[in-house]
Amino acid sequence: MRRGYLHVTRFPVQRKVIESPALAGQPLVLVEEVRGQRRVAFASTRALKAGVRPGMTLTAATALEPELRNFPYRLKDEAQALAALGESLLGLCPGFQRDAPDGLWFDASAAHLVGGERELGARVLEVCGEQGYRAHVTVASEAFTSRVLARYGSQRVVVVPEGQGARALAPLPLGALEDSAAKAFSVLGLSTLGEVAALPAGAVTARGGVGAARAHARCRGVDDTPFTPEPLEEALEDRVVLDAPADTFEPVQFALKTLLDRMGARLSGRQRAAVRLTFVLRLDPTGEAQVPLLLARPTAQAKLLLDLARHRLGELRLERPVAEVAVRVDAHDEDLGQQLALGDAPEGDAALESVLSRLATTLGEGALFAASLEAVHRPESAHTPRAFHPPETRRGLLSPSGPLAPAPEPAAPVTVWRETGAARERPSRLLAQPARLDAEVTASGEMVAARLAGRRHRVTAMAGPERLGGEWWTDTPYQRDYYRVHFEGLGPAWVYRDGRDGDFYLQGLFD
């Protein structure tokens, strides 16, 4: 099996700097409790240059670098963030396997779909770069080969051909073994993996036992470690703990960007698009505020989600400072993308979507609606407004089928009107009940004016008639002539003349 390894150098430190850009270039460490002592788990580049090393006590590290800043190392948060990074790669690979704390393997079997393994590695780095990470990628046939070359190699992307693992590993230092076997081989005066691979297998086993034999085999490009893809969590949620409780929006905004960049990448990797999100602001010392965000249209675009989140949370007034920001995707749908019309620009469409989502969030779910076709023939009742919901998943070759799949319910017949012309246009606003017009009609039957609510409106233009009739099999049959009439002081309107009483009625208005 061909597998890749993604190594994000000091991943927890990079993640901390991404969450707090002001820390870039500063000496900092992530510390954890070890037997009652606070010890360094990871250190930034500047801290390392000052002599700080992982495993050192925080007191000793601060003595080397007085300006050193320290933050807690939360293993659970780092594991979740690494899994989120793996999910963002699912658009390029079928699965991934975490290698905490700063790497993961990914299945490279689909590399031919993106132009080959080297192109796959470049695409993986591009996805990481979009989230702010610097990394290295190696594609090989063995787990050990791909991992060690990504961690200790100098090139950003390395592809090791089948059967060439030993040759690729040979120049690497003995420390790349990262286990007790390295010390045993160093006693023999060896310094590279190539020198280890050149030893007789029998002598290695006799002297060092099973552990040394395993390390020797890996140096020769032999590794049967299985690839176990990570199961995906059903819930899509993430959080960022602020360095200090914030009583202004700026620190919250940085946290939102980090969260939504990661969430957008996770959604894209799963080929999903968010429909409804909830932001949870945990307050200091207690309490929380939950803020829902309803999208006008499913999307996985982090920039658009951030713009909407800023609008939704920017003017929020809270009684206590914010200690933690979390986001949860409550509803999502298949990401089908969007087909733009010829000449349209994505920027304009994104701006419209932003406006629609803001309206839906500010005015409520019922503010935006879609027209739902109804199985009736009467034109003013042929569609009804319904609240926005994501489209149903399409059935196809990859959808559930066969005897275990539930049979779809038969759809009711729907009448779709396909007439064209000005008289056959339908209004955007329908009256709940048609209003009778006191019409002034010429001898030929043409309407020249009408009174509505006590006011006279002259007719300046009139198109029609569109003669419709039906529902004779019910208790309320109809026979009508529909017109598009432009009234002075009222604008274009939809009017019909009832065939039963000969009167005119106002049914709707055009915007």
Short mmCIF file of all heavy atoms in Angstrom, two decimals, residues 37-68:
data_model
loop_
_atom_site.label_atom_id
_atom_site.label_comp_id
_atom_site.label_asym_id
_atom_site.label_seq_id
_atom_site.Cartn_x
_atom_site.Cartn_y
_atom_site.Cartn_z
N GLN A 37 5.35 18.53 38.64
CA GLN A 37 6.17 19.62 38.12
C GLN A 37 5.68 20.06 36.75
O GLN A 37 5.21 19.25 35.96
CB GLN A 37 7.64 19.18 38.01
CG GLN A 37 8.35 19.00 39.33
CD GLN A 37 9.83 18.69 39.13
OE1 GLN A 37 10.20 17.94 38.23
NE2 GLN A 37 10.68 19.28 39.97
N ARG A 38 5.81 21.34 36.50
CA ARG A 38 5.44 21.89 35.19
C ARG A 38 6.66 21.80 34.28
O ARG A 38 7.66 22.49 34.52
CB ARG A 38 4.95 23.32 35.33
CG ARG A 38 3.74 23.47 36.23
CD ARG A 38 3.33 24.92 36.35
NE ARG A 38 2.77 25.41 35.10
CZ ARG A 38 2.54 26.70 34.84
NH1 ARG A 38 2.85 27.62 35.74
NH2 ARG A 38 2.03 27.07 33.69
N ARG A 39 6.54 20.97 33.25
CA ARG A 39 7.66 20.75 32.35
C ARG A 39 7.29 21.15 30.92
O ARG A 39 6.13 21.11 30.52
CB ARG A 39 8.10 19.29 32.38
CG ARG A 39 8.72 18.88 33.71
CD ARG A 39 9.31 17.48 33.67
NE ARG A 39 9.98 17.14 34.92
CZ ARG A 39 11.25 17.43 35.19
NH1 ARG A 39 12.00 18.05 34.27
NH2 ARG A 39 11.80 17.10 36.35
N VAL A 40 8.30 21.51 30.15
CA VAL A 40 8.12 21.95 28.77
C VAL A 40 7.77 20.75 27.90
O VAL A 40 8.48 19.74 27.89
CB VAL A 40 9.39 22.63 28.25
CG1 VAL A 40 9.24 22.99 26.77
CG2 VAL A 40 9.72 23.88 29.07
N ALA A 41 6.66 20.86 27.18
CA ALA A 41 6.28 19.82 26.21
C ALA A 41 6.73 20.21 24.81
O ALA A 41 7.24 19.38 24.05
CB ALA A 41 4.78 19.58 26.25
N PHE A 42 6.54 21.50 24.45
CA PHE A 42 6.95 22.01 23.14
C PHE A 42 7.46 23.43 23.32
O PHE A 42 6.99 24.17 24.21
CB PHE A 42 5.79 21.99 22.14
CG PHE A 42 5.39 20.62 21.70
CD1 PHE A 42 4.42 19.91 22.41
CD2 PHE A 42 5.98 20.03 20.60
CE1 PHE A 42 4.06 18.64 22.01
CE2 PHE A 42 5.63 18.76 20.20
CZ PHE A 42 4.66 18.06 20.91
N ALA A 43 8.40 23.82 22.47
CA ALA A 43 8.97 25.16 22.55
C ALA A 43 9.04 25.77 21.16
O ALA A 43 9.20 25.07 20.16
CB ALA A 43 10.37 25.11 23.17
N SER A 44 8.92 27.10 21.10
CA SER A 44 9.00 27.81 19.83
C SER A 44 10.46 27.89 19.37
O SER A 44 11.40 27.59 20.13
CB SER A 44 8.42 29.21 19.97
OG SER A 44 9.24 29.99 20.83
N THR A 45 10.66 28.32 18.14
CA THR A 45 12.01 28.40 17.58
C THR A 45 12.89 29.34 18.41
O THR A 45 14.05 29.02 18.72
CB THR A 45 11.95 28.89 16.13
OG1 THR A 45 11.17 27.98 15.36
CG2 THR A 45 13.34 29.00 15.53
N ARG A 46 12.36 30.47 18.79
CA ARG A 46 13.17 31.44 19.56
C ARG A 46 13.51 30.88 20.94
O ARG A 46 14.63 31.09 21.44
CB ARG A 46 12.41 32.76 19.70
CG ARG A 46 13.19 33.82 20.44
CD ARG A 46 12.51 35.17 20.36
NE ARG A 46 13.11 36.10 21.29
CZ ARG A 46 12.67 37.34 21.47
NH1 ARG A 46 11.65 37.80 20.75
NH2 ARG A 46 13.24 38.15 22.35
N ALA A 47 12.58 30.13 21.53
CA ALA A 47 12.87 29.51 22.83
C ALA A 47 13.95 28.44 22.69
O ALA A 47 14.83 28.31 23.54
CB ALA A 47 11.60 28.92 23.41
N LEU A 48 13.88 27.68 21.61
CA LEU A 48 14.90 26.64 21.38
C LEU A 48 16.28 27.26 21.19
O LEU A 48 17.28 26.72 21.67
CB LEU A 48 14.52 25.80 20.16
CG LEU A 48 13.28 24.90 20.31
CD1 LEU A 48 12.91 24.28 18.97
CD2 LEU A 48 13.54 23.80 21.34
N LYS A 49 16.34 28.39 20.49
CA LYS A 49 17.62 29.06 20.30
C LYS A 49 18.20 29.56 21.62
O LYS A 49 19.43 29.71 21.76
CB LYS A 49 17.45 30.23 19.33
CG LYS A 49 17.21 29.80 17.89
CD LYS A 49 17.06 31.00 16.98
CE LYS A 49 16.85 30.55 15.52
NZ LYS A 49 16.68 31.71 14.61
N ALA A 50 17.33 29.83 22.58
CA ALA A 50 17.80 30.28 23.90
C ALA A 50 18.24 29.12 24.78
O ALA A 50 18.70 29.34 25.90
CB ALA A 50 16.69 31.08 24.59
N GLY A 51 18.10 27.89 24.29
CA GLY A 51 18.53 26.73 25.06
C GLY A 51 17.42 25.95 25.71
O GLY A 51 17.68 24.93 26.38
N VAL A 52 16.16 26.38 25.54
CA VAL A 52 15.03 25.66 26.13
C VAL A 52 14.83 24.35 25.39
O VAL A 52 14.87 24.32 24.15
CB VAL A 52 13.75 26.52 26.08
CG1 VAL A 52 12.56 25.76 26.63
CG2 VAL A 52 13.96 27.82 26.84
N ARG A 53 14.59 23.27 26.14
CA ARG A 53 14.40 21.96 25.54
C ARG A 53 13.18 21.27 26.15
O ARG A 53 12.88 21.47 27.34
CB ARG A 53 15.63 21.07 25.75
CG ARG A 53 16.88 21.56 25.01
CD ARG A 53 16.69 21.45 23.51
NE ARG A 53 17.89 21.89 22.77
CZ ARG A 53 18.05 23.11 22.31
NH1 ARG A 53 17.12 24.04 22.52
NH2 ARG A 53 19.15 23.44 21.63
N PRO A 54 12.47 20.45 25.35
CA PRO A 54 11.36 19.68 25.91
C PRO A 54 11.84 18.80 27.06
O PRO A 54 12.94 18.24 27.03
CB PRO A 54 10.90 18.83 24.72
CG PRO A 54 11.30 19.63 23.51
CD PRO A 54 12.60 20.28 23.89
N GLY A 55 11.00 18.70 28.10
CA GLY A 55 11.36 17.94 29.29
C GLY A 55 11.94 18.80 30.39
O GLY A 55 11.99 18.40 31.55
N MET A 56 12.38 19.98 30.05
CA MET A 56 12.96 20.91 31.03
C MET A 56 11.85 21.48 31.91
O MET A 56 10.72 21.67 31.46
CB MET A 56 13.69 22.02 30.28
CG MET A 56 14.41 23.02 31.13
SD MET A 56 15.22 24.27 30.07
CE MET A 56 16.51 23.29 29.29
N THR A 57 12.15 21.74 33.17
CA THR A 57 11.15 22.37 34.03
C THR A 57 10.93 23.81 33.57
O THR A 57 11.81 24.45 32.99
CB THR A 57 11.61 22.38 35.50
OG1 THR A 57 12.80 23.17 35.62
CG2 THR A 57 11.88 20.95 35.98
N LEU A 58 9.74 24.31 33.86
CA LEU A 58 9.41 25.67 33.46
C LEU A 58 10.33 26.67 34.16
O LEU A 58 10.70 27.70 33.58
CB LEU A 58 7.95 25.97 33.77
CG LEU A 58 7.45 27.37 33.41
CD1 LEU A 58 7.62 27.65 31.92
CD2 LEU A 58 6.00 27.54 33.82
N THR A 59 10.69 26.38 35.40
CA THR A 59 11.58 27.29 36.13
C THR A 59 12.93 27.40 35.44
O THR A 59 13.47 28.50 35.24
CB THR A 59 11.77 26.78 37.57
OG1 THR A 59 10.51 26.67 38.21
CG2 THR A 59 12.67 27.73 38.35
N ALA A 60 13.49 26.25 35.02
CA ALA A 60 14.78 26.27 34.35
C ALA A 60 14.68 26.95 32.99
O ALA A 60 15.59 27.68 32.57
CB ALA A 60 15.30 24.84 34.19
N ALA A 61 13.58 26.73 32.28
CA ALA A 61 13.40 27.36 30.98
C ALA A 61 13.29 28.87 31.11
O ALA A 61 13.86 29.62 30.30
CB ALA A 61 12.15 26.79 30.30
N THR A 62 12.59 29.35 32.14
CA THR A 62 12.44 30.79 32.34
C THR A 62 13.77 31.42 32.71
O THR A 62 14.03 32.59 32.37
CB THR A 62 11.39 31.05 33.43
OG1 THR A 62 10.16 30.40 33.09
CG2 THR A 62 11.11 32.54 33.58
N ALA A 63 14.62 30.67 33.39
CA ALA A 63 15.94 31.19 33.73
C ALA A 63 16.78 31.42 32.47
O ALA A 63 17.60 32.35 32.41
CB ALA A 63 16.64 30.22 34.67
N LEU A 64 16.60 30.59 31.47
CA LEU A 64 17.33 30.75 30.21
C LEU A 64 16.76 31.88 29.37
O LEU A 64 17.51 32.54 28.63
CB LEU A 64 17.28 29.44 29.41
CG LEU A 64 18.05 28.25 30.01
CD1 LEU A 64 17.74 26.98 29.22
CD2 LEU A 64 19.54 28.54 30.02
N GLU A 65 15.44 32.08 29.42
CA GLU A 65 14.78 33.10 28.61
C GLU A 65 13.77 33.84 29.50
O GLU A 65 12.63 33.38 29.67
CB GLU A 65 14.10 32.46 27.41
CG GLU A 65 13.30 33.42 26.53
CD GLU A 65 14.09 34.62 26.07
OE1 GLU A 65 14.94 34.43 25.17
OE2 GLU A 65 13.89 35.71 26.61
N PRO A 66 14.16 34.96 30.10
CA PRO A 66 13.27 35.67 31.04
C PRO A 66 11.94 36.11 30.41
O PRO A 66 10.94 36.25 31.12
CB PRO A 66 14.11 36.88 31.48
CG PRO A 66 15.53 36.47 31.24
CD PRO A 66 15.49 35.59 30.03
N GLU A 67 11.93 36.37 29.09
CA GLU A 67 10.71 36.83 28.44
C GLU A 67 9.82 35.67 27.99
O GLU A 67 8.84 35.88 27.28
CB GLU A 67 11.06 37.70 27.23
CG GLU A 67 11.83 38.97 27.60
CD GLU A 67 12.15 39.80 26.37
OE1 GLU A 67 11.76 39.37 25.25
OE2 GLU A 67 12.77 40.87 26.51
N LEU A 68 10.16 34.47 28.41
CA LEU A 68 9.44 33.28 27.97
C LEU A 68 7.98 33.32 28.43
O LEU A 68 7.68 33.59 29.59
CB LEU A 68 10.11 32.03 28.54
CG LEU A 68 9.59 30.68 28.03
CD1 LEU A 68 9.95 30.50 26.56
CD2 LEU A 68 10.17 29.54 28.86
#
